[in-house]
Amino acid sequence: MPPTDARTTTGPAPAHPDSLAPRADTAGPRNLPFGRLTVEDEDPGSEDTLELRLPARFTALHARAPGGHLGRLAAWGPVTTPAGSFQLVPVRIDQDLSLVHRWMNDPAVAEFWELCGPRNRTQAHLRAQLHGDGRSVPCLGVLDGSPMSYWEIYRADMDPLAACYPARPHDTGIHLLIGDAADRGRGLGSALLRAVADLILDRYPTCARVVSEPDVRNIPSVSAFLRAGFRHTAEVDLPGKRAALMIRDRVQRDACSVE
């Protein structure tokens, strides 16, 4: 399911004396334009562990910025994968609704996406993202010129998912379905997941981690993420499912590429 509403994000607390942090004699929620900021340190013995919780009004303000969080996705361009040339193309409802609707009504897809039904249900699902605040972008995955998959690239740090794990600023999430049965079960999903995760990290420098949360019952999906270089870090309870929290981080990816 797509992201729905804003929640707090995380990041390092400002420490410079010229920063926007309130002075000690003026600190307090009523003196902060967005409410109270809190800092958490889950592991004092390690580095880079401070967690800054930014109020929802702050994240909502930035979500309304021109172009949204992922507004440049359409310009990311194609990448070469073992399966061929692949590109994420933002959905155009007037041209793509019938195709996405057909995929959503495939029983294997509907079991986990739960969006089968009339065209207007698919249309509403797409429109909510396309006309929203830019934190989620629905895309077709186009392989060698042919649309063959549906993707949602979203800001995980601004999604309700962020309440279920130690989210970091600009964590970016992936939802994926392979459209036709003939394209499933032959390693295509894992190859494309790796390519898209790397694409996000390469085109979105402020993102350090790509995350996903497939249903734990969806063994083929979880396995595809593992083969794509994601780590299964936890199981989390989300509305309607128990999910496997999968993470692919920039540091681990770059370390593996050097070896």
Side-chain angles (χ1 to χ4, degrees), residues 142-163:
V142 179
L143 182 63
D144 289 336
S146 297
M148 46 71 63
S149 53
Y150 172 76
W151 301 72
E152 291 172 354
I153 311 300
Y154 68 96
R155 280 289 296 271
D157 60 334
M158 291 182 157
D159 186 76
L161 174 64

Side-chain angles (χ1 to χ4, degrees), residues 59-220:
T59 60
L61 176 65
H62 285 270
R64 292 193 295 269
H69 300 299
L70 300 168
R72 297 184 181 89
L73 188 152
W76 284 0
V79 293
T80 300
T81 78
S85 178
F86 181 80
Q87 184 170 5
L88 291 174
V89 178
V91 165
R92 297 157 296 183
I93 290 182
D94 59 333
Q95 299 181 40
D96 304 325
L97 176 59
S98 294
L99 180 61
V100 178
H101 173 252
R102 175 167 65 83
W103 288 343
M104 290 296 182
N105 279 273
D106 181 312
V109 172
E111 179 181 1
F112 296 106
W113 280 75
E114 299 180 349
L115 285 169
C116 61
R119 285 168 57 95
N120 60 6
R121 186 177 188 189
T122 304
Q123 182 176 23
H125 179 79
L126 297 173
R127 191 178 298 278
Q129 296 173 79
L130 293 170
H131 295 180
D133 56 23
R135 78 185 65 183
S136 180
V137 182
C139 299
L140 293 183
V142 179
L143 182 63
D144 289 336
S146 297
M148 46 71 63
S149 53
Y150 172 76
W151 301 72
E152 291 172 354
I153 311 300
Y154 68 96
R155 280 289 296 271
D157 60 334
M158 291 182 157
D159 186 76
L161 174 64
C164 302
Y165 79 107
R168 297 178 187 173
H170 303 283
D171 278 359
T172 300
I174 291 176
H175 295 147
L176 161 67
L177 70 84
I178 302 295
D180 292 329
D183 288 327
R184 303 175 199 147
R186 55 189 185 93
L188 191 56
S190 58
L192 297 182
L193 282 169
R194 183 182 292 271
V196 169
D198 288 347
L199 182 66
I200 292 169
L201 294 172
D202 291 340
R203 300 290 195 272
Y204 193 7
T206 54
C207 170
R209 302 190 301 180
V210 180
V211 307
S212 193
E213 15 68 55
D215 193 308
V216 295
R217 299 172 301 155
N218 193 344
I219 303 301

Side-chain angles (χ1 to χ4, degrees), residues 197-198 201-202 248-258:
D198 288 347
L201 294 172
D202 291 340
R248 180 165 170 80
D249 63 73
R250 182 187 300 278
V251 172
Q252 183 183 35
R253 180 200 68 160
D254 292 350
C256 291
S257 65
V258 170

